[in-house]
Amino acid sequence: IEVRSQEQAYANATAFVADLIKTSQLEASEIAILTGRARERCPLFGQAQIGGAVPISVSEPRGKNRIWCDTARRFKGLEAKCVVLVDIDQLVEDELIYVALSRPSLLLRVIGVRPDIQRLKGGLGG
């Protein structure tokens, strides 16, 4: 999903998650929002709720109305039905790009500005 700013990316991610949960397509616990930044540097994760769900780190237990919100690096080896990627400008290492893009079992939503999306579409590190 192409946006013009980081703020639009966060708003899009929030609206997308809210829609998935509200329409009962997925439970919050089946969704992960991953950032290319450090977890504490992602303003989205500082909110009390994202799309009606409570953001938690991957080290916390999943549960109803709790959504995983963490870094792509910390999500290595984990999986969620739906993964939403934000801050893709920070995904520059081939291994990290692979990890970020390969974590969903059902649905992947990549949100960013055109040059970053094009870079990811061009292949790993390309």
Side-chain angles (χ1 to χ4, degrees), residues 26-68:
L26 290 172
E27 297 287 327
S29 62
E30 298 174 310
I31 304 168
I33 302 175
L34 303 181
T35 178
R37 299 185 185 287
R39 188 177 193 282
E40 61 276 358
R41 292 191 58 220
C42 181
L44 183 61
F45 297 167
Q47 297 180 13
Q49 290 192 347
I50 300 172
V54 177
I56 61 169
S57 75
V58 296
S59 61
E60 298 177 68
R62 289 171 126 170
K64 186 173 173 70
N65 204 38
R66 292 165 61 103
I67 184 171
W68 269 343

Side-chain angles (χ1 to χ4, degrees), residues 5-6 8 10 12 18 27 31 34-35 43 54 60 62 72 77 80 87-89 101 106 109-111 124:
S5 68
Q6 186 177 10
Q8 280 186 335
Y10 297 152
N12 185 287
E27 297 287 327
I31 304 168
L34 303 181
T35 178
V54 177
E60 298 177 68
R62 289 171 126 170
D87 302 320
I88 63 172
D89 60 311
L101 296 176
L106 181 66
R109 187 173 187 104
V110 179
I111 308 170
L124 292 177

Side-chain angles (χ1 to χ4, degrees), residues 68-119:
W68 269 343
C69 295
D70 220 313
T71 66
R73 187 174 308 282
R74 289 190 62 194
F75 211 69
K76 185 175 183 178
L78 298 174
E79 177 180 275
K81 282 189 178 178
C82 174
V83 171
V84 179
L85 292 179
V86 295
D87 302 320
I88 63 172
D89 60 311
Q90 300 296 308
L91 295 174
V92 293
E93 300 169 32
D94 287 352
E95 180 185 3
L96 195 53
I97 293 169
Y98 173 78
V99 167
L101 296 176
S102 64
R103 300 300 92 196
S105 63
L106 181 66
L107 180 62
L108 172 66
R109 187 173 187 104
V110 179
I111 308 170
V113 297
R114 179 184 297 255
D116 294 322
I117 290 174
Q118 292 301 99
R119 179 177 52 83

